[in-house]
Structure formats: C-alpha cells, structure tokens
Amino acid sequence: MRHIKESEISWTSEKGYRRGVLLPFGNGMFFDVQSQITEISPGEKVLEHRHLKQTEFIYIIEGSCTFLINGKKIVGEKGDQIIILPKELHSTENANDLTCRFFTVKINGNTHDTIWGRD
C-alpha cells in the first residue's frame, strides 16, 4: 500500500507544461509505470513528441485541450479519457482561458522513452 499526499508531489516545468509526478518510474512497486498530474496553461503548447514503448492513459480533470495525435485533432474536455499508444506522434495545445489539468498513467515506459520532434 502507498499513500501519496499532495504535499509530496514534486512539480517541474517541461516543454510547454507543468507536471507533478505522483508515482515515478522505478518506484519500487511497478518499475515501468508512472502517474502524474499535468497542467497546461492558457496559450501554451506541449511540443510534438512520441514514446517508443510507453502507452499514456489521460483523464481530463478540468478545462479542455486540443490533442493532435498522428495528424488527427481531438478536443478533450473534462471527464474525457484519451489513450496514446506507443510511437503515436502527439502534441497538446490549450487555446482556452483556463488551465487544462489531467491525470496521466504511463505504462511500459521509462525516463528515456520520449523522442521530441519528428525524428
């Protein structure tokens, strides 16, 4: 059993977003699983990237964002779930007035699994 308090969340700013990792990769319970809260501020964009092995399960907690996944535009709103499979090229943009906040579970991944850009 593991209880993670909000005060334990380590927040970092990345390429167009802010994330708070709840359970990091290599956490001692599930080596290839990470969970996090992601926030994208109004007007911000997460740059195009893909993951070699990792699958992302996203649940939107509040706000809305536009996801571009393999050229297909998806508007995700509060309560929606989006699943991004390995190797799918994706980016996210918040063109709204409110912060978009979502919970992400990453499985079969690691800290070196992200490739930024189209390479």
Side-chain angles (χ1 to χ4, degrees), residues 7-79:
S7 60
E8 295 178 60
I9 299 173
S10 173
W11 287 93
T12 58
S13 292
E14 304 284 333
K15 299 176 182 199
Y17 66 99
R18 187 174 103 103
R19 75 174 171 182
V21 174
L22 301 163
L23 193 64
F25 287 122
N27 57 65
M29 295 176 67
F30 306 101
F31 182 77
D32 63 351
V33 175
Q34 176 171 294
S35 66
Q36 68 185 48
I37 301 292
T38 305
E39 295 179 347
I40 303 174
S41 298
E44 290 293 324
K45 181 177 182 177
V46 178
L47 301 175
E48 201 170 52
H49 64 286
R50 62 187 168 91
H51 308 286
L52 299 175
K53 296 180 181 178
Q54 173 180 290
T55 297
E56 289 183 282
F57 293 90
I58 296 170
Y59 177 79
I60 300 176
I61 300 168
E62 60 188 27
S64 64
C65 289
T66 301
F67 294 81
L68 188 62
I69 304 170
N70 284 340
K72 181 178 180 183
K73 190 180 284 191
I74 299 169
V75 176
E77 299 176 336
K78 180 179 177 179

